[in-house]
Amino acid sequence: MIYLTRHEHFNAAHKLYNTNWSPEKNEEVFGKCANANWHGHNYDLMVTVKGEINQETGFLMDVKVLSKIIQEYVCEHLDHRNLNLDVPFLQGKLPSTENVAVAIWHQIVPHLPEGVKLHRIRLYETPRIGVDYYGE
Ligand code: NI
């Protein structure tokens, strides 16, 4: 079993706000991310796939194909967008790093070539804060 990681970036705006709560509670729980007029993050996305090495190519999969899948099904939908308003696959979800990572998992899985499995979505919202999602 070999693991292959592709690193991508996107920039997006969001706010974290639970409408069932008072402004004070939102401020307490979400801090600056509750700012009513949005704010942005430079997201770092690392997508790791796993499988067996193809003996003819020496590759797990063509990394250009992996990059294209990430671009087409993830980054084109998220880059320079408002995660609360613009992204159909995030509708109805609070766009926390956790929820965005899980949504990215589901965007990628159906498009991987046969024999290649998604292993991990690693999403960093800032250089110091990120999440890992392994599909469970
Ligand atoms: Ni934020």
Side-chain angles (χ1 to χ4, degrees), residues 33 41-44 97-98 122-132:
C33 277
H41 291 284
N42 296 315
Y43 289 90
D44 269 317
T97 320
E98 289 88 333
R122 172 167 282 176
L123 183 65
Y124 274 73
E125 189 180 77
T126 76
R128 293 180 185 184
I129 302 174
V131 302
D132 285 337

Side-chain angles (χ1 to χ4, degrees), residues 8 63-74 76:
E8 304 281 355
V63 78
K64 290 191 301 295
V65 172
L66 179 58
S67 180
K68 191 166 175 290
I69 291 167
I70 301 168
Q71 287 301 327
E72 186 171 344
Y73 298 103
V74 178
E76 278 184 22

Side-chain angles (χ1 to χ4, degrees), residues 1-14:
M1 182 76 68
I2 193 89
Y3 296 77
L4 170 70
T5 299
R6 176 76 196 185
H7 191 163
E8 304 281 355
H9 302 272
F10 59 91
N11 307 313
H14 79 162

